[in-house]
């Protein structure tokens, strides 16, 4: 995954972890397609003039750590590059319930199509970042490490949220670090046999 291919700018506070095959743009497109199908928002098409422009605000529904701002920008850009997004906070900042921490302006149809996908990612990432921050603060000076136990297809996004919350990533997958676990020992026939095959 190359950040430059995703439209990320150098000002991203916490860059996503590196993964050799993860296609973040593909995940964004899949999420948008899952929600809008091949028609877009049919209710919007039936009720709102196509060229109508609106302004929408991001409002914190609870106290916590905001995460997913950089990803939200990628999603808005994927839906409609003419949308103008402005943030009053950055990934990793504390937010309090009721705080307006960003806004988007542009075509109503585009904002509505992007909105739910943006909010779903941001809510998930903010929840992970908030819990990670609480655990990291409690565990200090020890480090909180994120394992591979993530929702399928969300690994990079989940691990990115951990970084934003102050944790660290252990390994991205089976490919980037040797880690002998009980299943390897059991299959090999015991600890003494594990070394025989390396």
């Amino acid at each position: 995954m190359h950040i430059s291919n995703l439209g990320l700018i150098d000002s991203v506070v916490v860059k996503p972890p590196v993964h050799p095959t993860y296609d973040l743009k593909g995940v964004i497109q899949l999420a948008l397609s899952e929600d809008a199908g091949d028609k877009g928002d049919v209710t919007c098409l039936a009720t709102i003039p196509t060229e109508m422009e609106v302004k929408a605000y991001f409002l914190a529904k609870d106290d916590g750590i905001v995460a997913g701002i950089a990803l939200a920008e990628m999603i808005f850009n994927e839906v409609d590059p003419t949308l103008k997004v402005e943030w009053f906070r950055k990934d990793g900042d504390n937010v309090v319930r009721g705080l307006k921490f960003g806004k988007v302006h542009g075509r109503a149809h585009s904002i509505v199509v992007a909105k739910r996908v943006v909010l779903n990612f941001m809510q998930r990432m903010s929840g992970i970042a908030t819990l990670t921050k609480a655990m990291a603060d409690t565990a200090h000076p020890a480090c909180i490490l994120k394992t591979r136990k993530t929702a399928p297809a969300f690994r990079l996004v989940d691990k990115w949220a951990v970084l934003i919350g102050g944790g660290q990533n252990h390994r991205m997958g089976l490919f980037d670090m040797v880690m002998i676990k009980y299943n390897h020992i059991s299959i090999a026939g015991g600890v003494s046999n594990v070394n025989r095959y390396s």
Side-chain angles (χ1 to χ4, degrees):
M1 180 197 66
H2 298 286
I3 294 171
S4 59
N5 295 343
L6 299 170
L8 276 176
I9 50 176
D10 291 331
S11 65
V12 172
V13 177
V14 178
K15 291 187 173 30
V18 176
H19 190 289
T21 61
Y22 193 91
D23 181 8
L24 186 54
K25 185 174 179 130
V27 169
I28 290 168
Q29 290 170 338
L30 180 63
L32 289 166
S33 173
E34 177 181 67
D35 201 36
D38 60 353
K39 295 181 181 176
D41 184 327
V42 294
T43 307
C44 235
L45 292 169
T47 61
I48 298 172
T50 308
E51 296 306 316
M52 182 178 197
E53 292 202 355
V54 296
K55 187 184 301 180
Y57 288 90
F58 288 87
L59 183 68
K61 296 285 187 149
D62 210 340
D63 299 351
I65 302 298
V66 68
I69 286 174
L71 182 57
E73 287 191 25
M74 289 181 246
I75 295 165
F76 282 124
N77 188 60
E78 182 68 27
V79 170
D80 183 349
T82 68
L83 292 175
K84 296 185 179 19
V85 186
E86 183 181 352
W87 301 102
F88 314 131
R89 295 289 185 273
K90 62 186 181 305
D91 279 329
D93 282 351
N94 282 304
V95 293
V96 294
R97 181 184 174 105
L99 176 74
K100 287 182 183 177
F101 62 90
K103 69 179 176 181
V104 59
H105 177 266
R107 289 185 58 235
H109 285 232
S110 298
I111 291 172
V112 171
V113 166
K115 174 193 70 105
R116 179 44 47 202
V117 173
V118 165
L119 292 177
N120 284 351
F121 276 117
M122 288 189 76
Q123 288 169 338
R124 180 181 180 89
M125 290 180 74
S126 295
I128 291 169
T130 299
L131 290 173
T132 300
K133 174 76 170 142
M135 288 186 275
D137 287 351
T138 301
H140 185 76
C143 297
I144 298 297
L145 297 176
K146 177 71 182 113
T147 67
R148 293 174 28 248
K149 294 175 183 164
T150 58
F154 278 86
R155 181 166 301 169
L156 188 133
V157 173
D158 288 355
K159 285 180 164 284
W160 193 1
V162 167
L163 293 174
I164 291 168
Q168 298 178 15
N169 287 312
H170 183 240
R171 63 179 179 159
M172 285 302 294
L174 297 172
F175 59 87
D176 61 339
M177 182 188 298
V178 173
M179 184 173 163
I180 299 171
K181 296 169 64 177
Y182 66 89
N183 53 332
H184 303 100
I185 294 167
S186 176
I187 293 168
V191 173
S192 58
N193 291 335
V194 171
N195 267 344
R196 290 185 190 172
Y197 304 106
S198 25

